[in-house]
Amino acid sequence: EIFLVQLHIASFPPLVVPRLFIDPAMASEKTCVGSCRLSERQPWQDDEAHMSAEFFSLFDDLDAQWKFPEGGEGFETRLLGAGDGSSTLGRDANLVVVFSSADHFEFGKTFGKISTTGTAGQMQEQMTVLQVKDTKQSWYLRASKLDADPFGPVISLVSQELQRLGVPATRWATLGFCCGGYAAVRVGIALRAARIVAFSPQMYIHLDERRKKQLAPAYFDSTLESFQRADACPLDSLVRVLSRAAPLGEATRVELHLGEDAPEDLHEARTFVEELSDALGSRPPVSVHMHPGCGHAVPYFLRQEGKLEDLLYSRLIAS
């Protein structure tokens, strides 16, 4: 049985909580009271801590109330694999819109046009990437009034880019990890992407809702609490998003990729699929793929094993 433990460590910024897993049955180099074993700190945890630190750096002081950005404020894009990006891509192009502030997918190596052979080389020659970054670290949400969609500004941005690049509806996909995975689903559903690939996305982003569903505490809880206190926009679950968008039909396929060694992610996914099935009254248009030997940061683990490029090729282009 795996237990989730939260610890405050001096080297972390205030309110940032790293996740350490205790497994009494597994040996490790670090031990705690009662012979429990603590997992070694992984490099991807530094990425997560850095992202959380970036969010908290937006506060001028601890007494200031954080406010959601508005409109298109804070969005940045860059295009890889399409020359200078000034012309259309053509009807045979494959575009992947990636929601990631950090370089989880090693864009230059994974998607850039470099001289390689094999499946990865094929992918690099056939795929163009539009990276969408939220410099405000607000999970691509923007302050909204009344019933306006807080994802409206980023959806509009991506829609304009799709029209400018001339990409057919059947030849583009969204991709993201963690909060970027949540964004990939929301934007992909809104614009009916052909494929949506989300690595370890959060399905529930309202902290009270997460607690009600008994989801495990996570390092991003403090961020979600700040969103909730700001009360600037609805924090919809992906159940609500997909329920409102139904029926999706066969044109849009949603894939969730999770690590088998991340029990809290697996529990959240099970809760999500069960609730969505009840809401739709049928089998949801979502497939779940579990990867052995991977924790929360599935792209990192797959990249370390040399499997990331082939997986993205098979999920985004080959099929």
Side-chain angles (χ1 to χ4, degrees), residues 214-235:
Q214 298 183 338
L215 301 182
Y219 71 95
F220 49 78
D221 281 358
S222 296
T223 302
L224 296 183
E225 184 175 7
S226 297
F227 291 172
Q228 189 171 326
R229 288 181 177 178
D231 194 26
C233 69
L235 303 175

Side-chain angles (χ1 to χ4, degrees), residues 77-99:
T77 63
R78 64 167 172 159
L79 201 62
L80 297 176
D84 58 7
S86 61
S87 60
T88 60
L89 298 179
R91 299 193 61 81
D92 294 331
N94 294 289
L95 177 70
V96 179
V97 182
V98 184
F99 298 88

Side-chain angles (χ1 to χ4, degrees), residues 267-319:
H267 173 58
E268 184 168 353
R270 282 193 295 268
T271 302
F272 162 71
V273 171
E274 291 173 0
E275 185 180 0
L276 183 60
S277 298
D278 291 341
L280 298 179
S282 61
R283 183 177 178 179
V286 176
S287 61
V288 179
H289 306 259
M290 294 184 292
H291 299 273
C294 293
H296 174 69
V298 178
Y300 167 80
F301 290 105
L302 293 178
R303 190 177 65 201
Q304 293 297 104
E305 296 174 1
K307 298 178 180 178
L308 181 61
E309 293 182 359
D310 286 350
L311 173 72
L312 293 180
Y313 178 82
S314 66
R315 306 321 303 167
L316 298 172
I317 292 182
S319 59

Side-chain angles (χ1 to χ4, degrees), residues 74-276:
F75 292 134
E76 293 181 358
T77 63
R78 64 167 172 159
L79 201 62
L80 297 176
D84 58 7
S86 61
S87 60
T88 60
L89 298 179
R91 299 193 61 81
D92 294 331
N94 294 289
L95 177 70
V96 179
V97 182
V98 184
F99 298 88
S100 177
S101 295
D103 200 4
H104 296 292
F105 302 102
E106 283 193 318
F107 299 102
K109 294 181 180 179
T110 306
F111 300 109
K113 288 189 175 181
I114 57 178
S115 298
T116 58
T117 58
T119 302
Q122 291 176 336
M123 178 180 66
Q124 291 155 355
E125 291 302 318
Q126 297 183 41
M127 183 183 295
T128 299
V129 173
L130 174 67
Q131 181 190 7
V132 183
K133 181 178 180 180
D134 182 3
T135 64
K136 296 298 183 180
Q137 297 293 326
S138 61
W139 290 34
Y140 300 89
L141 294 158
R142 290 297 180 266
S144 59
K145 298 179 181 179
L146 300 177
D147 296 328
D149 185 355
F151 258 74
V154 71
I155 290 172
S156 178
L157 171 66
V158 173
S159 178
Q160 291 172 15
E161 286 296 300
L162 292 174
Q163 293 178 25
R164 182 180 69 83
L165 295 170
V167 180
T170 58
R171 301 191 69 89
W172 76 282
T174 60
L175 172 69
F177 160 64
C178 199
C179 61
Y182 174 85
V185 175
R186 290 208 59 165
V187 176
I189 290 295
L191 298 177
R192 294 300 195 264
R195 180 67 58 83
I196 299 168
V197 178
F199 289 95
S200 308
Q202 284 74 52
M203 292 81 166
Y204 302 92
I205 65 169
H206 194 292
L207 195 56
D208 286 348
E209 188 175 19
R210 293 183 63 84
R211 289 168 175 164
K212 183 178 180 180
K213 296 183 181 302
Q214 298 183 338
L215 301 182
Y219 71 95
F220 49 78
D221 281 358
S222 296
T223 302
L224 296 183
E225 184 175 7
S226 297
F227 291 172
Q228 189 171 326
R229 288 181 177 178
D231 194 26
C233 69
L235 303 175
D236 289 339
S237 71
L238 291 184
V239 172
R240 183 171 175 79
V241 171
L242 270 74
S243 297
R244 287 185 307 207
L248 291 177
E250 296 296 327
T252 299
R253 300 168 62 183
V254 182
E255 294 186 6
L256 307 180
H257 290 260
L258 310 170
E260 287 189 356
D261 294 342
E264 73 282 13
D265 289 345
L266 298 178
H267 173 58
E268 184 168 353
R270 282 193 295 268
T271 302
F272 162 71
V273 171
E274 291 173 0
E275 185 180 0
L276 183 60

